[in-house]
Amino acid sequence: MSTYRRISSLLLLSGLIIVSSPLNAQKIASPSDVITDVRHQSPEWLTIQPHLPDPAVTSAAQLELVGDVLRARRFPEEAIKYYGYALQRGGDQAMIMNKLGVTELDLRNITGARGYFQQVVRLQKKNPQGWNNLGAVEYLDGHYGGAIADYRKAIKFDKKSATYHSNLGTAYFEEKDFDKARGEFDIALRIDPEMMDHHGSTGISAHMLSPADHAHFCFEIARLYAHRGDEAQMLHYLQLASEGGFEVLEPMREDSVMAPYRKDVRVLTVVQNARALRNGRISVADAEGGVPSLPAATHN
């Protein structure tokens, strides 16, 4: 089952419902159709399918909820269909289009997602989720300047979202504007001190920073925690940076925030262990910690 999910998450699918016809029946099935057919033979789908409501007689709110359940159960193609039914039954256009866009992102359909989010901000120019999600699309497409502009609009309409500030910080990081990046991460942590622990739990899990940039990113987060006086988190992110191949000691030399820790035995131990790990002298299973998934799209 998990194999089919991983394969289907890489396909670029549209949100259109194709009506069957003799002409369509004569076409050779696409890989996505084959995978969908196989997944529809899974025990999980066979348990869900009998309980799906008739879209012709079900309310928009119920159809939208069915879409939410299908997406949560990792049936994004079916979720898209039910969100479409909810729209046809008069559901909240901006809210449902946000969900459609996020589901398209689950399927890595950047173009389809962008189209939905653009419709959201056309319908509601002050919709912060729409602007954040449009920023996420631009970020994933490598248009960091556009992502920054969109994230700033999201923050303009909702200044208290840790996610929006964190996403903006990540876009600044990609533009190598590390001071502004740290500033946004600092704001995000003031809003939500545990943001780094759960950020991305409902967001995008692919198209992350490159391994080298990710290691540098972790160093910048370590510096932020050092500035905030949180040594435990500083050491945690220094470990991630060092394990990722970033030589943390050299940039610490000239950094007013990090320099006092450069000869700290805890930091030296982190660096020594990370080098041993990279050289294969420590099992990867012995390493602790993880990295946040960025950026996050919002759909609630």
Side-chain angles (χ1 to χ4, degrees), residues 220-234:
E220 296 295 333
I221 298 299
R223 186 186 186 282
L224 174 59
Y225 277 117
H227 181 72
R228 296 170 63 87
D230 189 336
E231 294 185 349
Q233 286 284 48
M234 175 200 72

Side-chain angles (χ1 to χ4, degrees), residues 84-105:
Y85 296 146
L87 280 177
Q88 293 172 13
R89 298 284 290 173
D92 185 309
Q93 287 186 320
M95 181 177 294
I96 295 173
M97 285 183 180
N98 252 328
K99 293 182 178 182
L100 278 164
V102 172
T103 310
E104 292 288 3
L105 283 180

Side-chain angles (χ1 to χ4, degrees), residues 151-152 155-156 158-170 172 178-196 199 220-221 224-225 227-228:
Y151 288 143
R152 291 179 66 177
I155 291 168
K156 177 181 178 181
D158 183 359
K159 295 179 173 61
K160 296 184 178 181
S161 169
T163 294
Y164 302 165
H165 284 284
S166 177
N167 284 352
L168 178 56
T170 307
Y172 277 133
F178 303 127
D179 287 339
K180 287 185 178 179
R182 284 193 297 266
E184 293 300 325
F185 291 133
D186 193 34
I187 294 171
L189 287 171
R190 287 203 301 270
I191 295 171
D192 180 4
E194 298 180 354
M195 183 268 300
M196 287 296 177
H199 183 58
E220 296 295 333
I221 298 299
L224 174 59
Y225 277 117
H227 181 72
R228 296 170 63 87

